[in-house]
Amino acid sequence: MPTTTPEGPAPRKGTLLIVDDENGPRQSLRFIFKDDYHVLMASDGPSAIALAQQQKVDVAICDIRMGGMSGIELLERLKFVDSNMEVVMMTAFETTDTMRQALRLRACDYINKPFDLATVRATVSRAMQRRTLESEIHNNAEKLQQLLGELQNQKMEEQMAHARGEIYASIIHDINGPLTVISGFVQLMHQRIGNSSKLELDDLEFVKDRLKTITRQVTNCIEISRRYLGFLCKQTDNLPRVGVNQLLADLNHLVRVHPSRQQNQFTIKPLPEDLAVRMNGTDFIQIMLNLATNAFQCCQTPHRVDIEARAHPQPLDLAAFKDGPYNRLLNVEGFLNTAPVVEISVRDTGPGIPQEVVPKIFEAYFTTKGQRQGTGLGLNIVQRLVREAKGALHLHTEPGVGTRFAVYLPAAALPRPQS
Ligand SMILES: Nc1ncnc2c1ncn2[C@@H]1O[C@H](COP(=O)(O)OP(=O)(O)OP(=O)(O)O)[C@@H](O)[C@H]1O
Ligand SMILES: [Mg+2]
């Protein structure tokens, strides 16, 4: 049983190995150190090595001149067993060359025979201290490594929590649009039929039509929450190919009833020949709806907003897109620039974006709209969705003239309708 002190377990006694082929010096060294250290003795090199292999030796005192294996060779072999073992050489009229060799082989010190008590004690004590210090440094380095690992894990968890927080905020942001439409339509229906106990035929048509829109918006909300839950579970479903023109028709329907449209003029131009994009339909609509909402909200005075789809039969010449104070191309590295490429642009005739604002607009929570009107998440979500679809996003803005966002997506022929 280990001895204990009131402060805890007593510190481990160091182990000292004495190697000398002469019994006299061996015994006198044992006598000097037996109370301070756990003392082991060996009369030749091979038995010293065997002892060091069996148990941890902190310091060894080796006679340099022994029959059989020399002290120098033993030093080398002991360092091989435990490279941190401290070895003190015992010498008698050795040449400086031998001493140099011993030091080169990392002997920590030497004592001359015949030795005096004070010197030998001081030398061994220094060697023991060095050994303790070295193992402490080693232990601390290991602990530091462990701490670094833990810190890394904690950082990763923090980042994941942050991403999760952003995703929750995004769900609320995206669901807010459809909810606004639903709430507006419910109010309209309420105004129309109020407390009346009987419905006329045209009232019924009115309600039916509004219910269709509400149903579509509710489906949208469900798809949005499903999409984000997919993000949280890191799901990457096999994405379907969806026709761009069908999506633009859905978008048209949504934008026309969207509260942000107000008095602004709005046109939407589909592809002359439809193509498919490989992405979730809700994601496509979410991208375009965010860009259209921004375009409508860019100023109070009535202005134009035009959405237009174009097909590029060749890959884009990315060198032609130069970033500058009023131009930005996002996701250049992740863009799958294979023909055909579909371009859908949202252009407004608003005030444009000031030069100093351009670098910030894609940051999460950046908004110039005041807290009640904007969360600043719209463009951040757009950028994320475009990146996931392996697309690119281009911004061109001109103060006093307007702003144009263009989304580029890798496209393909429409899937054949199944008969
Ligand atoms: N078409 C545009 N014209 C002028 N400024 C724009 C336009 N689109 C975006 N911006 C600027 O970019 C900022 C960030 O847009 P983003 O869509 O990320 O957030 P938001 O519209 O402010 O808030 P939310 O999307 O939550 O309603 C806007 O506040 C606005 O300053
Ligand atoms: Mg927005």
Side-chain angles (χ1 to χ4, degrees), residues 44 101-102 130 136 143 171 195 218 238 276 281 299 312 322 343:
D44 56 33
Q101 196 186 357
R130 249 177 82 151
E136 264 175 26
K143 271 190 206 149
I171 298 178
N195 296 328
V218 169
N238 229 351
C299 61
H312 295 263
K322 282 214 176 74
E343 170 185 348

Side-chain angles (χ1 to χ4, degrees), residues 174 222-232 280 282-284 286 381 385:
D174 284 1
I222 295 170
E223 272 200 32
I224 287 166
S225 59
R226 229 182 247 152
R227 177 213 311 156
Y228 282 114
L229 283 178
F231 278 167
L232 286 178
N280 202 314
T282 330
D283 292 358
F284 181 95
Q286 216 54 51
I381 292 170
L385 293 176

Side-chain angles (χ1 to χ4, degrees), residues 21 43-46 64-74 77:
D21 55 355
S43 55
D44 56 33
I64 214 162
R65 193 175 292 184
M66 289 188 289
M69 190 186 292
S70 78
I72 292 286
E73 195 185 340
L74 176 62
R77 304 269 298 263

Side-chain angles (χ1 to χ4, degrees), residues 173 290-291 293-299 346 348 350-354 357 360-363 365-370 373-382 395 397 402-405:
H173 176 275
N290 267 309
L291 295 177
T293 313
N294 280 351
F296 287 131
Q297 291 175 340
C298 68
C299 61
V346 180
D348 66 60
I353 306 175
V357 174
K360 302 181 197 155
I361 60 172
F362 295 100
E363 284 170 16
Y365 307 108
F366 174 81
T367 181
T368 54
K369 293 178 185 164
Q373 277 125 19
T375 62
L377 282 172
L379 285 179
N380 190 262
I381 292 170
V382 167
L395 157 72
T397 186
T403 301
R404 181 179 186 274
F405 281 91

Side-chain angles (χ1 to χ4, degrees), residues 155-170:
K155 240 182 169 173
M156 248 167 67
E157 267 172 29
E158 266 170 29
Q159 271 171 3
M160 274 168 69
H162 182 71
R164 237 176 260 143
E166 275 195 359
I167 287 174
Y168 294 142
S170 307

Side-chain angles (χ1 to χ4, degrees), residues 315-326:
L316 297 188
D317 173 15
L318 295 180
F321 294 82
K322 282 214 176 74
D323 272 1
Y326 297 111

